[in-house]
Amino acid sequence: MFTMWWHLLPLSALTALGAATAPSCSSAPTTLHLPDAPYDNFFYSGCNTAVQVVVTTPQPDSNLSLISPRLVIAWPAGNSGVCTYFAPQNGVNGSLSIEVVNSTIGNPLSATYDERNSTSGNDTTPFYGVTGTIRFSSSAILTVPILGSIRTIRDFVEGPSLLRPQIQDAINVSSLSNGGASLKRIWLDNVTSTHLTFTPASSKGSVTVSKNNTLTFGTGDYIFTAEFNYPQLKQLSPAQVLTNSSTDLMQRDSERTSALSFLSYSTKLLAGAWRFLTYFGRDSMISALLLEPILSKGENGAMEAVIAAVLERINRTDGSVCHEETIGDYATWLNEQQYGLYSTEAQCDYKMIDSDYYLPILMNKYFVEDPIGRTRAASFLNTSAGAFTTLNSNLTYRQMVAINAERIMNLAARFAGHKNQTKENLVHLKDGQIVGEWRDSTYGIGGGRIPYDVNTALMPAALRAIASLARNNFFMNQEHWAKLADRYAQVWEDETLQFFRVTVPESEAKQLVSSYAQTIGFSGPNQTDTIDGDVMYHALALDGNSNQTQVQVMNTDDCFRHFLLNTTGSQDQLTAFVNQTANNIRRTFPAGLLTDAGMVVANPAYGQNPVYASNFTSGAYHGTVIWSWPLAMMAKGLEQQLGRCEVVNSSVGHDHHGHTKIPDFCKDGTVYGNVKAAYNILWDSIEANQAQLSQEVWSWVYDNNNETFVPTPLGVMPPPPGTGSQTGMLIFVFLTYSLFILVTNRSRAVRI
């Protein structure tokens, strides 16, 4: 048997026995513990490896059909992981609890390192791992083990409990001479192996392997060790992720700066833990835009890591930006399934349409507007591509930028043409896709084909950025883009909102909200007394489910336009736009977007079709729930719009030619006061929910006794029918860390 008893020991013990030791680190490992019942999250980062361990254990109020005892171990390297589900041996659901505890093995975790070769092939990559102690409150059975890829685990957790025999049948289970048990699987590349072992921490414990390879544990403590031989990533320390002027954050908020570091690597920044420990183009670019004031600049800095990762993964044939990469064991499986080929070549998902537009916006923000970025532009653009895929190996970053910009210009041209401002000429989802922007769940945009955020904000903002890049000689032989892109942008800014605008007369609005509150069984006040006029908002998308012309769901996606655009076309349109945003933020759910738990990203109360209430629920991923980064983007967006009213502020309030323009809404006392009040109400909500801000998304329940919305993990809420389990929601994503600069920088210039 390959896994010997001494292989279970932490690095310190291995050293004492004369086993190979890991390369020495100049600093102690970073550990982080983020409890969020029923999930308990542990992070371990050293110079050799980074890993997350998540323990799920039912709570007294848990929905036992959704929450069961589970151990997840996830590595950013290769997007790899281990997942094990446990059940009480007595069969009584909810009677078993598990936890990771401090022990002589680690406090609670320790790293392992072994230079022995793989059991298959001639790979010499060391085995990197983690070890700790897990405690079972009663005898338990290991019901489902998954070894290899986080994507494989996601397919099981998020889908219909999907397990692939080709992967599951390759798990080798065996007993160990020290009373423990081992699970081992060789990846589809026939080189990499993932190992998981459990050993009794005392003579009282026992692990029994049955004839059908089921593991049974007695009550007590067990040492677990998980390891694999796959090349690790080079992590950026908190000091390497942040600018020199922002390093004080490491003292003021060490927990979140450590978490930010866990997601930051020299070649890419990751989306989130634990289910998305890999590259996501949209997420990393939104994060970089929001975190731009504090992210490190220059060569080997975090900003350039984000941009380079996006450029490396562009589809050179059409300029599309990669949404999510597929690497490691899952890439090998996907290559075989899709092409019938044995290949470990990484793949990219290009189905999203919004990712394309963030690239020129971010390029302009860094390489034109930032003084450090300006000095780096020439060198960076001359970098040869090909680090991620050989398909781009004969191109430079400058060429990749141009390929993406040309795609955007081509997509913009038709709608911007003379008398061509029709719905058909707007940007649609790609054929055959039901998702295409950040609300990328089944009902995220209600089946819509023409997303609000992409057409009214991302397209014109990207065109403004392309015009600026062209004026700064980023594109060879495309000097005419400087004027053309600005002309296109003005049309898209002025003419797109009308397609999405929804106006509900006051009396009808009150009736709709009252009916909606009854439909969902909402026990709090329906807030119809706060509706003091016609309600206006913008539909999530056009051409939705059930033949809906508009997906009439109030939402937070106004934030994109507030944050990404500061030009002014129609003054009347701008005034109405900022005012309706403020109204919808100020009103409490179900009449508006505000709750004590935060601002919900969707409110279906004003939709005429009952399908909206069924699909946009407090248990839906993009339903009546709170996301952290839209809070940040809305706060910064409203700050920017209010900042345009300040003559002394030279960084805002300009058109694209640099001329100062104070918008008309600034001189309208009612509208300006409304926007200012909404800004402060939103900030009050953000500050009141700081305990939630390390999470990607959370929900709420209404407490009748205290008449308040109580923040609640989304993972414990029942999802809409047919959308699959949401157990094990992210504990944090890179996007959420925009808030730790914002929380301490609420603008005093506009604060009441």
Side-chain angles (χ1 to χ4, degrees):
M1 180 63 203
F2 176 73
T3 305
M4 303 299 288
W5 68 268
W6 54 270
H7 192 39
L8 305 174
L9 298 178
L11 180 60
S12 57
L14 287 172
T15 302
L17 292 171
T21 59
S24 60
C25 300
S26 58
S27 60
T30 299
T31 59
L32 182 63
H33 179 208
L34 295 176
D36 183 35
Y39 313 110
D40 211 6
N41 294 262
F42 302 88
F43 301 87
Y44 182 99
S45 300
C47 66
N48 295 307
T49 191
V51 64
Q52 178 185 4
V53 174
V54 189
V55 175
T56 305
T57 195
Q59 303 298 295
D61 59 348
S62 292
N63 182 339
L64 298 180
S65 65
L66 299 174
I67 305 298
S68 57
R70 183 186 65 189
L71 172 68
V72 172
I73 300 166
W75 291 279
N79 197 210
S80 310
V82 168
C83 178
T84 51
Y85 281 86
F86 300 94
Q89 190 176 17
N90 62 18
V92 180
N93 197 12
S95 63
L96 172 66
S97 65
I98 61 174
E99 60 179 321
V100 170
V101 296
N102 289 337
S103 67
T104 56
I105 295 298
N107 294 304
L109 303 177
S110 182
T112 63
Y113 179 89
D114 197 326
E115 289 185 348
R116 286 171 299 153
N117 293 347
S118 168
T119 56
S120 176
N122 56 5
D123 184 77
T124 58
T125 303
F127 279 84
Y128 300 92
V130 63
T131 187
T133 300
I134 187 169
R135 177 170 295 166
F136 296 97
S137 66
S138 62
S139 57
I141 301 172
L142 196 164
T143 57
V144 178
I146 306 173
L147 282 69
S149 172
I150 292 295
R151 288 288 297 275
T152 303
I153 298 171
R154 275 169 53 190
D155 286 348
F156 180 81
V157 172
E158 297 178 356
S161 300
L162 180 64
L163 291 173
R164 298 182 175 86
Q166 183 182 6
I167 294 174
Q168 290 304 109
D169 293 349
I171 298 176
N172 178 25
V173 181
S174 60
S175 299
L176 299 177
S177 59
N178 60 359
S182 168
L183 297 90
K184 180 177 66 174
R185 175 178 166 258
I186 299 175
W187 288 14
L188 298 174
D189 63 7
N190 294 319
V191 173
T192 311
S193 295
T194 299
H195 301 165
L196 174 64
T197 57
F198 293 96
T199 305
S202 69
S203 58
K204 297 180 181 179
S206 64
V207 183
T208 303
V209 179
S210 67
K211 293 182 179 179
N212 63 354
N213 289 330
T214 298
L215 271 60
T216 302
F217 301 79
T219 304
D221 293 354
Y222 295 83
I223 299 167
F224 67 89
T225 300
E227 60 181 1
F228 71 138
N229 56 329
Y230 192 88
Q232 303 294 290
L233 299 172
K234 182 181 179 182
Q235 187 176 6
L236 300 179
S237 68
Q240 293 172 314
V241 176
L242 302 175
T243 62
N244 291 336
S245 60
S246 301
T247 53
D248 64 310
L249 284 172
M250 291 187 290
Q251 282 72 46
R252 286 195 285 117
D253 203 336
S254 61
E255 180 178 287
R256 279 184 275 201
T257 51
S258 295
L260 178 61
S261 172
F262 183 80
L263 298 174
S264 304
Y265 297 84
S266 61
T267 57
K268 58 186 174 182
L269 275 65
L270 313 181
W274 56 270
R275 298 181 303 152
F276 303 111
L277 282 177
T278 195
Y279 161 94
F280 278 74
R282 173 209 305 132
D283 301 63
S284 59
M285 287 187 285
I286 293 178
S287 300
L289 287 167
L290 289 169
L291 283 168
E292 184 270 336
I294 65 167
L295 283 187
S296 57
K297 315 293 197 300
E299 189 174 10
N300 301 321
M303 285 292 288
E304 293 189 19
V306 170
I307 298 172
V310 175
L311 293 174
E312 285 284 349
R313 292 160 176 79
I314 285 178
N315 184 335
R316 64 179 295 167
T317 62
D318 68 0
S320 296
V321 165
C322 174
H323 166 59
E324 177 184 6
E325 68 179 8
T326 301
I327 57 176
D329 191 51
Y330 204 85
T332 311
W333 180 83
L334 207 58
N335 286 323
E336 181 177 347
Q337 298 301 308
Q338 292 182 342
Y339 309 115
L341 299 174
Y342 169 77
S343 172
T344 60
E345 181 79 14
Q347 290 195 25
C348 265
D349 172 1
Y350 295 103
K351 66 173 172 283
M352 298 296 165
I353 62 172
D354 63 340
S355 302
D356 302 340
Y357 303 97
Y358 291 110
L359 178 58
I361 297 169
L362 183 58
M363 293 284 295
N364 185 65
K365 171 67 72 174
Y366 178 60
F367 288 115
V368 174
E369 297 180 3
D370 187 89
I372 296 176
R374 284 198 298 271
T375 66
R376 288 282 304 151
S379 175
F380 181 89
L381 292 172
N382 289 330
T383 302
S384 296
F388 177 75
T389 173
T390 56
L391 297 176
N392 295 335
S393 59
N394 64 335
L395 298 174
T396 64
Y397 285 175
R398 184 185 295 274
Q399 291 171 303
M400 303 304 288
V401 174
I403 291 171
N404 168 255
E406 185 173 16
R407 172 180 177 81
I408 295 170
M409 292 295 290
N410 290 339
L411 289 170
R414 190 171 177 181
F415 183 85
H418 182 60
K419 295 185 178 180
N420 273 5
Q421 289 75 54
T422 66
K423 182 180 75 171
E424 291 70 27
N425 291 332
L426 292 170
V427 178
H428 292 57
L429 299 187
K430 293 183 177 180
D431 291 343
Q433 300 295 336
I434 62 171
V435 296
E437 43 87 269
W438 83 269
R439 297 175 184 264
D440 53 359
S441 57
T442 302
Y443 301 114
I445 54 172
R449 306 298 304 164
I450 307 172
Y452 169 56
D453 60 336
V454 173
N455 285 279
T456 66
L458 296 179
M459 172 64 91
L463 290 168
R464 292 295 188 197
I466 290 171
S468 175
L469 292 170
R471 287 192 291 272
N472 286 274
N473 303 312
F474 273 64
F475 308 115
M476 298 177 63
N477 304 318
Q478 300 290 3
E479 293 82 1
H480 66 292
W481 281 357
K483 293 183 177 179
L484 185 61
D486 268 331
R487 181 167 67 81
Y488 285 179
Q490 197 65 57
V491 177
W492 282 84
E493 287 177 28
D494 291 347
E495 303 297 335
T496 52
L497 283 177
Q498 60 181 315
F499 293 97
F500 299 86
R501 190 175 297 120
V502 179
T503 301
V504 186
E506 179 180 350
S507 59
E508 182 182 354
K510 290 183 176 180
Q511 185 276 323
L512 286 171
V513 171
S514 177
S515 176
Y516 168 72
Q518 293 177 15
T519 297
I520 66 172
F522 181 67
S523 58
N526 63 25
Q527 301 292 338
T528 55
D529 59 330
T530 65
I531 301 174
D532 51 4
D534 295 351
V535 173
M536 191 174 94
Y537 64 96
H538 293 85
L540 273 177
L542 307 181
D543 295 350
N545 288 328
S546 304
N547 297 315
Q548 297 292 298
T549 302
Q550 296 175 313
V551 179
Q552 294 184 347
V553 174
M554 184 183 285
N555 60 84
T556 55
D557 287 2
D558 293 354
C559 67
F560 291 99
R561 193 164 168 114
H562 291 310
F563 179 66
L564 297 174
L565 292 170
N566 67 351
T567 50
T568 303
S570 166
Q571 290 284 358
D572 290 343
Q573 179 171 263
L574 176 60
T575 298
F577 184 70
V578 297
N579 196 48
Q580 60 90 32
T581 298
N583 285 335
N584 298 337
I585 290 174
R586 286 192 306 103
R587 293 188 179 122
T588 300
F589 181 85
L593 299 172
L594 192 68
T595 75
D596 302 301
M599 178 181 65
V600 297
V601 298
N603 179 359
Y606 298 98
Q608 299 286 350
N609 194 307
V611 70
Y612 298 137
S614 299
N615 294 337
F616 291 88
T617 70
S618 58
Y621 196 45
H622 296 100
T624 56
V625 296
I626 302 96
W627 282 64
S628 54
W629 70 262
L631 295 176
M633 186 176 284
M634 186 67 84
K636 293 302 290 184
L638 292 181
E639 180 181 308
Q640 174 170 279
Q641 297 307 315
L642 290 167
R644 296 171 68 185
C645 302
E646 305 295 327
V647 178
V648 295
N649 191 340
S650 60
S651 64
V652 293
H654 297 128
D655 66 14
H656 59 276
H657 296 299
H659 304 137
T660 301
K661 286 187 176 181
I662 297 179
D664 287 356
F665 82 83
C666 300
K667 306 164 191 174
D668 185 322
T670 300
V671 174
Y672 178 81
N674 193 30
V675 177
K676 192 172 181 180
Y679 172 84
N680 283 285
I681 288 170
L682 177 61
W683 259 116
D684 290 343
S685 175
I686 291 173
E687 291 175 343
N689 287 282
Q690 290 194 44
Q692 321 306 321
L693 298 183
S694 288
Q695 300 181 53
E696 177 194 43
V697 55
W698 61 96
S699 186
W700 53 270
V701 294
Y702 192 78
D703 182 349
N704 288 297
N705 293 329
N706 296 301
E707 298 182 340
T708 186
F709 296 82
V710 179
T712 304
L714 179 59
V716 304
M717 304 291 285
T723 58
S725 172
Q726 297 179 130
T727 56
M729 302 307 295
L730 309 193
I731 187 65
F732 65 78
V733 290
F734 186 50
L735 285 166
T736 67
Y737 293 95
S738 53
L739 285 163
F740 63 28
I741 183 65
L742 297 183
V743 166
T744 56
N745 285 274
R746 181 174 182 172
S747 174
R748 293 185 179 182
V750 295
R751 186 171 185 172
I752 295 175

